[in-house]
Structures are given as structure tokens and as C-alpha cells.
Amino acid sequence: MDVRMIEKRDIEQVHEIEKNCFSDAWSITGIQESLDQNHTVLLGAWLDRKLSGYVIAYLSIDDCEIARIAVDGTCRRKGVALKLLEELKNVCLKRQVERIMLDVRSSNEAAVSLYGKFGFTQDGIRKNFYVRPTEDAVLMSFIIGK
Ligand SMILES: CC(C)(COP(=O)(O)OP(=O)(O)OC[C@H]1O[C@@H](n2cnc3c(N)ncnc32)[C@H](O)[C@@H]1OP(=O)(O)O)[C@@H](O)C(=O)NCCC(=O)NCCS
């Protein structure tokens, strides 16, 4: 598996996975805008030269917030998401960012299990945080270097 930063030429492949994974998929323009921001990290994982998954995260001075993580339906349960989280952790370490945070739909068992396996802990619940459908968010964080 190859992991590297996503570039402009990869955006259409990111958008394809986005559409297949999320009801509120980001547009090509939205992905492009996040790529243009210098506090955003976009990492992609390639299997057999095909983009299999990506993570999009925002960095501030101390924190990293995961905005998106998705793996193509044909590439799941192969450790792609864990590898992306590991690489994101390495980026955070280099930039001396101390904590990774995220929120996840409470019904998303695959994602909650993934984050738990990586070492995230649950910090709380935000009631009715999501819409379409309305659902609670589980707030999770991972302290880097712990
Ligand atoms: C969640 C998601 C990113 C996981 O990607 P993945 O590459 O298949 O995950 P990995 O292979 O790295 O799995 C690592 C661990 O996560 C957990 N996990 C992953 N998919 C799971 C599933 N369907 N059910 C239960 N646990 C799951 C397991 O603990 C797994 O370890 P194991 O395979 O040894 O049991 C993927 O299912 C996905 O893209 N879902 C749709 C988008 C999404 O919901 N993103 C998260 C939004 S917060």
C-alpha cells in the first residue's frame, strides 16, 4: 500500500469515493478548496495504483480534527483506514500537534470500532448533532505520544 499526500490530479478519484460513501458528499469544488487551504492535510492510500481511501483533516496549533475518512467499498477490511490514521498521526507528530479529534454518527459501528482499535477514546455524546437523519454524535479523541 502506498500512502502520500493527495494532489490536484487525484481529486476526481476522491470525489468518486466520496459519492459512494456519504449522503452529503463533498463536491469537486469543495475538495479542491480544502486542498488549497494550507492548514488542511489530505492523505490518500493506493492499492494496485488505485486510490483506495483518504483522510481529510484540519490542523490548528495544538489539535487535528478529522473531517473525512473513507475507504472504497471494494478495499475495506484490509487495514487501509488504520494505515491512513497512522500516517496522519506521523504528520501530527512532525508538526507537534498533540491531539486528534473527531465526531462520528453513533450508528456507524465500523467507524467507532476503527477509532477504538486505533486508540481513540470516547469523550462524550453530542445529542442530535447530525441531520438527515437526525442522530447523536460520538466525540472521540486520541492523544499523540501517549
Ligand atoms: C469506516 C471505514 C473508513 C473503515 O475502513 P477500512 O479500511 O475498512 O478499515 P480497516 O480495514 O483499517 O479496519 C480496521 C478496524 O476497524 C474496525 N472495522 C472496520 N470496518 C468494520 C466493520 N464493517 N464492522 C466492524 N468493525 C469494523 C475493525 O476493528 C477493523 O479491524 P479488523 O479488520 O482487524 O477487525 C470504512 O468502512 C468506510 O469508508 N466507511 C464509510 C465512510 C465512513 O463511515 N467514514 C467514517 C465517517 S466518521
Side-chain angles (χ1 to χ4, degrees):
M1 192 186 314
D2 296 320
V3 178
R4 65 163 169 80
M5 293 292 180
I6 286 184
E7 298 169 8
K8 191 173 174 157
R9 63 187 156 115
D10 307 314
I11 286 180
E12 285 194 9
Q13 289 182 79
V14 172
H15 188 234
E16 276 308 305
I17 299 178
E18 248 323 275
K19 284 190 293 184
N20 292 332
C21 288
F22 298 108
S23 57
D24 60 342
W26 288 7
S27 64
I28 296 233
T29 309
I31 300 164
Q32 175 71 58
E33 281 171 2
S34 66
L35 191 61
D36 291 342
Q37 290 163 354
N38 57 14
H39 65 278
T40 308
V41 174
L42 292 89
L43 284 167
W46 278 260
L47 284 171
D48 300 327
R49 296 188 184 182
K50 180 177 172 269
L51 183 69
S52 56
Y54 56 87
V55 59
I56 303 177
Y58 306 125
L59 296 187
S60 63
I61 293 171
D62 296 321
D63 290 329
C64 169
E65 186 185 348
I66 294 180
R68 282 297 206 228
I69 184 164
V71 173
D72 183 78
T74 61
C75 303
R76 291 189 184 158
R77 298 311 277 270
K78 294 180 178 175
V80 173
L82 279 177
K83 178 75 179 165
L84 285 165
L85 290 174
E86 192 60 42
E87 289 301 319
L88 179 64
K89 180 181 145 186
N90 289 337
V91 171
C92 289
L93 266 173
K94 277 186 199 142
R95 300 199 194 181
Q96 296 175 315
V97 167
E98 292 170 3
R99 180 172 64 155
I100 306 176
M101 300 182 303
L102 57 85
D103 52 77
V104 53
R105 283 184 180 269
S106 56
S107 67
N108 192 342
E109 288 175 19
V112 171
S113 165
L114 163 73
Y115 300 134
K117 182 161 188 172
F118 189 78
F120 280 80
T121 53
Q122 293 194 15
D123 299 327
I125 300 286
R126 189 165 291 155
K127 292 295 282 179
N128 300 328
F129 179 69
Y130 295 107
V131 293
R132 292 189 304 273
T134 301
E135 191 174 342
D136 296 349
V138 180
L139 308 180
M140 303 183 85
S141 63
F142 177 86
I143 306 297
I144 295 164
K146 209 166 141 186

